[in-house]
Amino acid sequence: MKRCAVLISGGGSNMLTLVRDMTGDHPARPVLVLSNNPDAGGLEKAASLGVPTAVVDHRPFGKDREAFENKLNEVLEATKPDIICLAGFMRVLTPVFVNRWSGRILNIHPSLLPKYPGLATHKRAIEAGDTEAGCTVHEVTDVLDGGPVIGQAKVPVLSDDTPESLAARVLTQEHRLYPMVLRRFAAGERAPVVLSMDAESPIN
Ligand code: GRF
């Protein structure tokens, strides 16, 4: 059984879908939900599902990313994760951290990578006049939002979309994609998953 730690910074909606899916014949179980933000709403939700939580507040470390990550590693190593899922985790991790966990760390990003690494992905897709957008699960390497893609879900961009309406459509697909990819990754499968909006889901 693989031990999975999930890192969050906010509401943790992706974390919740991962935790809720890790039951029964799923090859992984959640062993820790860790946030850099002591006020992250996801911490309480994780605790209510019986998952141990921890906080490593990045703010006292200021610009000393290495010191922050040393503390992060201390907490992570105590729980011995086989897999680390970044889920709405908003801190850039240094190559030192990434190499320490390389091959065992996943992230979900709200664009069809390699398009739109970084922030404000939905606004950029709309301004570029894209007719398609989506989300990507990738292995985390020392290239920000640049690791091997192991899952993508595509959604249409509608002419009257705002960044908010597109983000909501993409988030619904994130909640389908990430659990599906984690199940396969934990089982040792690496062939990428590509989803388009399921036929019955209304284009909301
Ligand atoms: C999501 O858009 C996800 O793609 C990005 O962070 C946002 C919030 O995620 N990584 P969550 O609701 O905190 O899981």
Side-chain angles (χ1 to χ4, degrees):
M1 190 63 78
K2 295 281 194 287
R3 297 169 59 81
C4 179
V6 186
L7 272 53
I8 65 170
S9 295
S13 71
N14 275 291
M15 172 275 296
L16 282 179
T17 58
L18 296 176
V19 166
R20 289 200 175 109
D21 192 51
M22 282 189 264
T23 60
D25 63 356
H26 192 301
R29 288 295 183 273
V31 294
L32 180 69
V33 170
L34 172 57
S35 179
N36 65 295
N37 169 9
D39 303 321
L43 289 166
E44 208 174 300
K45 296 173 196 166
S48 71
L49 293 176
V51 182
T53 62
V55 172
V56 177
D57 188 341
H58 65 278
R59 290 169 301 186
F61 297 98
K63 296 214 178 311
D64 190 346
R65 284 185 189 280
E66 194 176 330
F68 166 61
E69 291 180 354
N70 287 341
K71 186 67 187 156
L72 214 51
N73 270 327
E74 200 180 298
V75 174
L76 282 170
E77 277 160 5
T79 193
K80 298 187 176 14
D82 301 299
I83 301 171
I84 296 174
C85 289
L86 307 184
F89 186 69
M90 304 308 273
R91 302 301 298 168
V92 174
L93 295 162
T94 70
V96 171
F97 181 93
V98 170
N99 293 331
R100 161 79 186 76
W101 300 100
S102 74
R104 293 183 282 170
I105 179 167
L106 304 181
N107 181 45
I108 189 157
H109 179 77
S111 80
L112 295 175
L113 291 173
K115 289 183 87 170
Y116 313 128
L119 300 173
T121 59
H122 306 304
K123 178 172 181 292
R124 291 154 69 191
I126 291 169
E127 286 173 356
D130 292 355
T131 55
E132 199 175 56
C135 51
T136 302
V137 176
H138 63 94
E139 289 193 49
V140 175
T141 64
D142 48 14
V143 177
L144 181 66
D145 297 333
V149 170
I150 49 177
Q152 285 201 319
K154 298 179 179 180
V155 301
V157 180
L158 306 181
S159 54
D160 60 348
D161 261 328
T162 62
E164 292 71 28
S165 62
L166 181 53
R169 190 173 311 122
V170 171
L171 193 61
T172 301
Q173 298 306 311
E174 292 177 32
H175 296 166
R176 286 178 69 210
L177 179 69
Y178 213 170
M180 195 177 287
V181 171
L182 177 59
R183 269 182 185 261
R184 297 163 67 95
F185 188 82
E189 293 162 30
R190 293 290 181 274
V193 174
V194 181
L195 300 177
S196 50
M197 278 182 74
D198 39 358
E200 66 272 7
S201 70
I203 296 189
N204 49 22

